[in-house]
Amino acid sequence: MYTTNAINPEKAIDRSVADQPPAEEDLYFEQNPAPEYLPEFERKLSEFLTNNGTRKVAVVTSGGTTVPLENNTVRFIDNFSAGTRGATSAEYFLENGYAVVFLHRQFSLLPYSRHYTHSTNCFLDYMVESETEPGSVKVDEKYQVQMLDVLRKYKQAQKDNTLLLLPFTTVTQYLFSLRCIALTMSKLHVDTRCVFYLAAAVSDFFMPTSRLPQHKIQSSGGELVVNLDPVPKFLKRLVEAWAPRVMIVSFKLETDESILESKAKTALERYNHQLVIGNLLQTRKKEVIFVTLEETEKYSLTDEEEKEGKEIEEIIVPEVIKRHDVWQEKVCN
Ligand SMILES: CC(C)(COP(=O)(O)O)[C@@H](O)C(=O)NCCC(=O)N[C@@H](CSSC[C@H](N)C(=O)O)C(=O)O
């Protein structure tokens, strides 16, 4: 049994070297306001983790973070992500017996309902007016089997209370939430059976609160010059201080194949976590690479599998779980 100071962020950071200037990550949390809902967020999370007893936990982040350009936000910079990777992966973690904390961009795709969304797979396309009972609607016969399968899994996750949906919108909300989740994992000693699966598309730049205009920027002023600061590199703090016993999997998104593996390796060397899953924007649904400091392995769908509707996450998640089992052995012994 080990003890941890983790819930207090100050104690989670090594202050043994006196008079260290505050790290940029600390400044970020001091100079940008925490989401007002954070206490309730932490309460819900603690209750969820306590209710899930000794079940393994996957923290899946999903969707893109925004960078507001005004305090009363009319304009913002967004990071590309529909939430498919995260929502689909969450389903496969649940099917493999994990409880899932789903930290997601508000209104992005969610596990299960992603199959019948308001836009891509409009649920109305699966409904018909009943011929035998005029005035009532029902699911079209040809979709009954698939929809029943999704519905049963969705209801089971609700009944078992194994899926917690926690939303974010801005990069600041995301980072405060991620820190809260990591510190709570450590505080409740869940960290040794937890994997962080960081599929969210996180902003690398942001507008500090101190420079944020209060109201909508007026176009009458001609050109708009936006001066953004780099978002501090949080993965290192997550790995070294907030949750050192959690297995951490990050995703590296590129569009140029020639730099994907090297950028993934650089992230591993910089953050010292366990696995980077590299993917290209243009082929992200068909293939990924698993990069560790020791080796790189490619996983992909055949054209046939793709045509049959197989999802790459059906390959990715079990492979991550296999590695999580190995990680748990190492951390717990
Ligand atoms: C976003 C997609 C491509 C999924 O797409 P949808 O299915 O449409 O949702 C996901 O697979 C992915 O690569 N996610 C990670 C994207 C990302 O932002 N990765 C960061 C690393 S994690 S953000 C870490 C932060 N910048 C820091 O360095 O601390 C990067 O590539 O640099």
Side-chain angles (χ1 to χ4, degrees):
M1 185 67 166
Y2 62 90
T3 54
T4 169
N5 300 313
I7 195 55
N8 176 342
E10 279 313 304
K11 287 189 178 171
I13 315 300
D14 177 6
R15 297 280 181 211
S16 56
V17 180
D19 301 332
Q20 274 183 324
E24 57 174 357
E25 300 90 341
D26 301 327
L27 286 176
Y28 184 95
F29 288 116
E30 285 162 18
Q31 295 170 351
N32 293 283
E36 285 169 12
Y37 56 74
L38 207 59
E40 176 60 13
F41 176 104
E42 184 183 344
R43 188 196 63 74
K44 274 186 192 168
L45 174 66
S46 301
E47 186 181 339
F48 176 79
L49 295 173
T50 306
N51 290 343
N52 271 282
T54 57
R55 194 187 292 267
K56 290 194 285 184
V57 179
V59 177
V60 178
T61 69
S62 180
T65 63
T66 67
V67 174
L69 297 182
E70 303 121 338
N71 194 30
N72 291 282
T73 307
V74 169
R75 298 180 185 86
F76 56 86
I77 296 172
D78 206 349
N79 268 56
F80 166 81
S81 172
T84 309
R85 176 78 81 222
T88 308
S89 301
E91 289 181 25
Y92 288 109
F93 275 113
L94 287 162
E95 283 180 31
N96 282 277
Y98 277 69
V100 172
V101 177
F102 192 64
L103 181 64
H104 65 284
R105 166 70 176 278
Q106 192 173 33
F107 308 130
S108 66
L109 292 175
L110 295 175
Y112 306 117
S113 61
R114 70 178 174 96
H115 297 276
Y116 307 102
T117 64
H118 59 291
S119 55
T120 45
N121 291 334
C122 177
F123 72 97
L124 293 174
D125 293 334
Y126 295 82
M127 312 299 282
V128 290
E129 186 162 359
S130 172
E131 285 148 14
T132 53
E133 297 163 57
S136 66
V137 294
K138 66 174 194 139
V139 175
D140 189 321
E141 286 300 322
K142 54 179 177 285
Y143 303 115
Q144 292 270 354
V145 172
Q146 184 218 33
M147 191 174 272
L148 188 58
D149 180 51
V150 172
L151 179 68
R152 282 176 174 157
K153 288 171 182 170
Y154 172 71
K155 293 289 186 186
Q156 193 63 48
Q158 285 179 326
K159 178 170 171 284
D160 298 344
N161 186 24
T162 48
L163 175 60
L164 178 64
L165 303 176
L166 297 173
F168 65 81
T169 301
T170 70
V171 63
T172 298
Q173 289 171 344
Y174 173 84
L175 292 174
F176 269 98
S177 303
L178 192 69
R179 182 177 75 162
C180 174
I181 293 170
L183 295 173
T184 305
M185 286 296 162
S186 298
K187 177 193 169 196
L188 299 182
H189 306 307
V190 179
D191 48 355
T192 55
R193 58 177 187 276
C194 175
V195 57
F196 274 51
Y197 185 91
L198 304 174
V202 182
S203 321
D204 282 319
F205 305 98
F206 80 110
M207 175 73 81
T209 308
S210 57
R211 294 209 306 266
L212 204 57
Q214 181 63 7
H215 293 294
K216 177 190 165 194
I217 299 165
Q218 296 307 307
S219 55
S220 54
E223 69 171 6
L224 173 62
V225 177
V226 178
N227 171 25
L228 300 176
D229 287 0
V231 170
K233 299 300 179 192
F234 282 87
L235 271 179
K236 194 166 182 61
R237 187 53 67 84
L238 175 63
V239 172
E240 291 178 353
W242 300 341
R245 286 181 169 75
V246 165
M247 176 176 172
I248 293 168
V249 181
S250 72
F251 278 76
K252 173 54 71 181
L253 172 61
E254 295 297 341
T255 53
D256 175 355
E257 183 160 22
S258 67
I259 63 168
L260 182 59
E261 183 178 3
S262 60
K263 294 280 272 183
K265 280 202 189 301
T266 303
L268 277 170
E269 286 153 3
R270 178 185 292 171
Y271 302 124
N272 198 25
H273 56 308
Q274 289 70 46
L275 174 65
V276 175
I277 300 178
N279 56 177
L280 294 174
L281 185 65
Q282 46 275 46
T283 59
R284 69 188 186 280
K285 292 181 187 274
K286 189 175 171 85
E287 65 184 33
V288 296
I289 55 172
F290 275 43
V291 181
T292 63
L293 290 177
E294 294 73 36
E295 62 178 353
T296 295
E297 289 177 88
K298 187 172 197 174
Y299 297 89
S300 56
L301 293 176
T302 63
D303 293 343
E304 200 50 43
E305 286 172 326
E306 211 177 6
K307 281 197 196 87
E308 287 161 6
K310 185 165 181 176
E311 296 167 317
I312 186 81
E313 291 80 7
E314 194 177 336
I315 298 171
I316 296 174
V317 171
E319 187 52 42
V320 167
I321 291 173
K322 258 192 257 168
R323 294 161 189 245
H324 187 210
D325 290 343
V326 171
W327 169 259
Q328 276 194 284
E329 277 297 308
K330 200 167 94 180
V331 162
C332 294
N333 294 319

